[in-house]
Amino acid sequence: MHAAKTYRLRNYTVSADESSAPAYQAVCVSGEEIDCGADSADQPDEEALTRWMAQHTRDTGHDRFRRARWDYATVEPGAWR
């Protein structure tokens, strides 16, 4: 005897959380065999991040970075389908 299974799906709405400011981060990926790995930590805006990358390039000669813009989101459950 097999029990029947019923699955219910739900829609969700994902929205940017405007109550918090985004953060910007870069990690130095320059290097021959391994990446440098220097991390800017969270910066308040793109200008501050650009300054950090420029200073790192000036001090080390490294010129390749992985950049990210981090922001916050909210998820609101919607109707069941």
Side-chain angles (χ1 to χ4, degrees):
M1 201 155 137
H2 297 283
K5 294 183 180 180
T6 301
Y7 294 96
R8 293 181 66 193
L9 302 176
R10 193 170 195 177
N11 292 323
Y12 291 87
T13 301
V14 178
S15 305
D17 182 354
E18 301 297 332
S19 69
S20 58
Y24 300 84
Q25 178 189 18
V27 175
C28 179
V29 294
S30 296
E32 298 270 332
E33 293 182 25
I34 60 170
D35 294 344
C36 165
D39 190 326
S40 68
D42 287 354
Q43 300 295 315
D45 53 46
E46 285 186 88
E47 185 178 321
L49 184 63
T50 298
R51 271 194 312 276
W52 182 87
M53 290 188 298
Q55 289 169 353
H56 185 73
T57 298
R58 178 197 67 207
D59 295 344
T60 64
H62 297 167
D63 60 359
R64 189 161 184 264
F65 299 87
R66 184 183 69 218
R67 295 185 306 173
R69 178 187 185 274
W70 302 100
D71 65 352
Y72 295 86
T74 57
V75 178
E76 185 176 332
W80 289 99
R81 298 189 283 159

